[in-house]
Amino acid sequence: MTGANDGANGDGANGDGANGDGAETGDMGGESTDASVRIRGIYTTALTELLADEGIDVVQASPPIRERFDAALPPAPADATVATTDDRQGIGVVGRRAAVAAVVDAARSVGRDALAWRDPVSRDAVYAGEVTETLGSGAVVELGTGDGMGDETGDGTEDETTDGDGDGLPVATRERSGFLPYSKTDEHIEEGDRLRVQVREVAPPWGDDRPLLDTTIRVQRPLATLVRSGGGASGGGASGGGTGSRSGGPATGGPELADLLPTDPPEGWRVDWGRAADDADLDALGAALEMGRDRALDLEDGVADAADPAERAPDREWAGDATAWVWFGRESRFGLDERRRAVTATMAGHHRTKAATERASAAVDFVEAVCPGASRGADGSGADGSGADASGADGFPFDAVTRQFGPMAGDRVRIDHGKPDGRAFSLGTGEVTRRDPDGTVVVEREMSGRGTYDALGVEQQAGDVAVTKLTEGKWWYPTVYRGDDGEKRGTYVNVCTPVEVFPAAVRYVDLHVDVVKHPDGTVERVDDDELDAAVAAGYLPEALAEKARSVASAVENAL
């Protein structure tokens, strides 16, 4: 799991990686819990404020965040790591189950359209995998079963039920496979081979990337990562103690540091210290090494009695860390704006703009630095109570943002169609034929001429055109299908989370229920049963489903 670059304002990501290197914590409000969390990415300030109110210790903060919150932050390990996804659409949360569940629960509270899933392929999980396809740079490996929330006690076991240990998270719908680069194995591999692999990096279910695999076994823990010496696909380990090496850099302390700590790595394991280990005291380093040692021993126990991968693949051998994802919709991003605004100057649509493109981050930071009066509330009022000078009712400057970053008339954009179970796919790419300053874009797509139009029961024909009108912030959008002679072949109104018009794609999550208007003028509401099923399965909260039903009723009456 990776994030964007660290920004000077502390709302970057990446930092020391997803394993939570370094440790600093402080009392920033709220009743303290046993969870401590490291945060990186464009949502850092807002989430720091949110989690502090929930009594969750925010640790390993960057210098700008420490300055912004004016908090004394002594060293301490992290139970979970939060990082912005590479596409900036949400966050990934990895760590101990209780900490991950607490973070996800808080993150979902920022708006009705914040959706969350546990990943069926969790970070650090160990599998007996089977190679199903070889590609130019690596192989696709089929993995075993598992719900992705890891284990609470560190014994390598986990609850396979949808509801897990009371966290209430549904399992994301995704292929349980990963990608193994040839550079991550010493053996020649080909289709049908079976071998032991570990999940090194996870990827959000709404993207196209597979989890990244490795044949070297390790435990990624706060401050220190323990690596199984010689632990390749066979799972063997060489004897020998830990080193003082630093992951991706020179030794940090070397053997002298190892001698000072009260805990040694397990036999056959070495220690890679994280970048922030230089700033941590011996107590924090010792605690981190002890946590890593316990986890490494649990992993050893989990795979010790496992059959040879050739006999059991594909199957999971060890659960790894709890792994979950939160997708923020437009309403949620504005909810995060309010959290951030309580701490520092925040323009209307701060997170909405930053989520659009990485290029926008620097522009937003500049505006807020030189024009702190640009901070606006969700009602469009300024921080000083003045009115907003912006195009949208919520103060979001759609016209200015799209003029700077797109899309404009003549550009091509995708329509990215998210699903409540975590998946997403493109409905196709079309040309923007109109862009209005109030937030509307019209996109025209040529249809393939194959299949039928969903729910309309009309066959596609060569030359058909789909004209889709999408308006920023609306909970629905219409698509009119026309033949090459201009005759209307039907209208499909999709009910969804609030539309976001980004430079390269329009994004939302489909809420199942839709309204169609047939060529003869008949209006029909469809797929209420799918909406009910999504609620029953835990993919959609009832409040969001009720909003969808209300919108569908309004659209049906209007048509």
Side-chain angles (χ1 to χ4, degrees), residues 431-453:
E431 180 182 351
V432 177
T433 60
R434 194 181 98 207
R435 185 213 66 116
D436 296 340
D438 68 353
T440 295
V441 296
V442 176
V443 180
E444 290 193 9
R445 293 169 289 147
E446 292 187 7
M447 306 306 291
S448 65
R450 299 186 299 272
T452 60
Y453 295 120

Side-chain angles (χ1 to χ4, degrees), residues 91-103:
I91 56 173
V93 190
V94 173
R96 292 183 62 85
R97 171 177 287 202
V100 170
V103 171

Side-chain angles (χ1 to χ4, degrees), residues 113 327 329-331 471-476 496-500 507-509 544:
D113 55 359
W327 182 89
R330 189 178 191 275
E331 186 176 282
T471 302
E472 176 84 19
K474 280 194 174 180
W475 289 77
W476 56 276
C496 57
T497 59
V499 170
E500 294 179 291
R507 288 176 172 159
Y508 57 84
V509 170
L544 185 56

Side-chain angles (χ1 to χ4, degrees), residues 183-201:
S183 61
K184 298 299 182 181
T185 177
D186 295 331
E187 302 177 13
H188 173 77
I189 54 176
E190 55 188 32
E191 188 172 330
D193 284 351
R194 296 182 169 189
L195 70 170
R196 178 171 290 157
V197 293
Q198 187 178 37
V199 179
R200 184 65 53 243
E201 294 181 14

Side-chain angles (χ1 to χ4, degrees), residues 240-255:
T243 70
S245 68
R246 167 173 158 178
S247 180
T252 302

Side-chain angles (χ1 to χ4, degrees), residues 476 493 495 513-515 523 525 528 545-559:
W476 56 276
V493 181
V495 177
V513 61
D514 300 306
V515 181
V523 175
R525 176 168 163 168
D528 274 282
E546 188 55 38
K547 175 65 175 179
R549 297 184 188 104
S550 174
V551 171
S553 295
V555 170
E556 185 179 15
N557 292 333
L559 290 179

